[in-house]
């Protein structure tokens, strides 16, 4: 996992950089992740950062978890009475079993060497029938797109600290964690959109 100190340094420009490296999908990816009525739900924005999901979603209870103090400080500038920010580790979520109806993770899965462990924690903290949605870079089979991911993203952006998965590997990670895969789709050649459900 990337050290939290990295995000303390980039926090002031993080949203600008994220917009740039999401290649025009900044708004559309979020719209797709939030394309349902969650107004009665408790939701977790995992690796919330500056609040990409937490400051837009409509929900009964919104929890944002991150390890970076500076990221959460920027996130907290958007005050919402039903939003709580928690400093914590995604490998060991500080929440009860079955606490959330939805969990979102955007532009962060590649930061974790063992994202299967994160998915297992998502599974544990979701209610039966709850869903996890993920949007991030992935490992394309196409040589051109793979070159983009493993040069432009891997070195200038991630400093060679990142772990990406093919669509087949994503399916395996999700099913091994116990999820039923609902959506698993490549987007613009270098991103993956995932939606998976915990069986009721």
């Amino acid at each position: 996992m990337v050290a939290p100190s990295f995000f303390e340094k980039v926090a002031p420009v993080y949203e600008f950089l994220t917009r740039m490296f999401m290649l025009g999908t900044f708004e559309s990816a979020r719209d797709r992740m939030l394309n349902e009525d969650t107004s009665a739900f408790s939701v977790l924005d995992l690796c919330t950062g500056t609040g990409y999901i937490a400051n837009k979603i409509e929900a009964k209870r919104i929890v944002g978890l991150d390890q970076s103090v500076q990221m959460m400080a920027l996130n907290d500038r958007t005050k919402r009475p039903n939003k709580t920010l928690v400093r914590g580790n995604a490998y060991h979520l500080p929440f009860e079993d079955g606490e959330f109806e939805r969990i979102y993770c955007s532009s962060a899965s590649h930061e974790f060497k063992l994202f299967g462990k994160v998915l297992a924690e998502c599974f544990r903290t979701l209610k039966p029938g709850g869903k996890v949605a993920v949007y991030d870079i992935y490992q394309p089979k196409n040589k051109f797109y793979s070159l983009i991911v493993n040069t432009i993203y891997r070195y200038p952006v991630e400093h060679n600290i990142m772990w990406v998965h093919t669509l087949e590997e994503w399916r395996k990670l999700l099913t091994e964690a116990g999820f039923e895969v609902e959506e698993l789709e490549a987007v613009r050649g270098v991103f993956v959109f995932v939606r998976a459900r915990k069986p009721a």
Side-chain angles (χ1 to χ4, degrees):
M1 186 170 64
V2 174
S5 58
F6 170 78
F7 294 100
E8 304 296 345
K9 294 176 183 176
V10 302
V13 294
Y14 178 80
E15 189 159 323
F16 169 79
L17 293 174
T18 300
R19 281 183 179 273
M20 182 169 62
F21 287 110
M22 284 179 74
L23 303 179
T25 68
F26 188 88
E27 299 293 346
S28 61
R30 180 165 56 194
D31 290 345
R32 185 172 179 182
M33 294 179 86
L34 305 182
N35 67 347
E36 61 177 337
D37 181 9
T38 54
S39 59
F41 289 169
S42 289
V43 305
L44 172 63
D45 183 12
L46 186 60
C47 305
T48 184
T50 55
Y52 177 70
I53 295 294
N55 291 332
K56 290 291 184 179
I57 192 169
E58 296 299 329
K60 182 178 180 180
R61 174 182 173 232
I62 303 163
V63 179
L65 180 133
D66 207 283
Q67 286 203 107
S68 168
V69 173
Q70 291 300 320
M71 292 284 230
M72 289 196 295
L74 291 170
N75 188 330
D76 198 42
R77 291 179 181 178
T78 301
K79 302 296 184 184
R80 307 188 77 184
N82 57 340
K83 183 180 77 172
T84 303
L85 298 179
V86 177
R87 192 179 185 202
N89 188 319
Y91 284 137
H92 305 284
L93 295 178
F95 308 114
E96 299 295 325
D97 294 359
E99 195 164 334
F100 302 103
E101 277 92 3
R102 295 291 185 270
I103 296 178
Y104 303 91
C105 183
S106 57
S107 301
S109 68
H110 66 274
E111 308 286 0
F112 296 91
K113 185 176 182 179
L114 303 173
F115 196 67
K117 287 183 64 175
V118 178
L119 288 172
E121 280 290 272
C122 291
F123 189 89
R124 178 184 67 80
T125 55
L126 279 169
K127 297 180 187 294
K131 298 180 183 182
V132 60
V134 180
Y135 187 81
D136 203 0
I137 53 174
Y138 86 116
Q139 178 54 58
K141 290 187 175 180
N142 177 282
K143 289 182 180 179
F144 174 71
Y145 292 130
S146 180
L147 182 65
I148 292 173
V149 169
N150 289 292
T151 55
I152 295 172
Y153 284 93
R154 180 173 293 279
Y155 295 104
V157 181
E158 299 297 335
H159 305 281
N160 200 26
I161 305 173
M162 73 175 204
W163 295 269
V164 290
H165 309 285
T166 64
L167 293 180
E168 292 81 5
E169 289 167 344
W170 265 107
R171 188 174 296 277
K172 188 171 186 287
L173 286 170
L174 291 159
T175 54
E176 286 182 348
F179 286 103
E180 297 172 347
V181 179
E182 292 190 342
E183 297 178 68
L184 180 58
E185 180 186 342
V187 179
R188 297 205 178 175
V190 298
F191 305 108
V192 64
F193 180 86
V194 175
R195 199 186 315 269
R197 178 178 179 271
K198 180 176 180 177

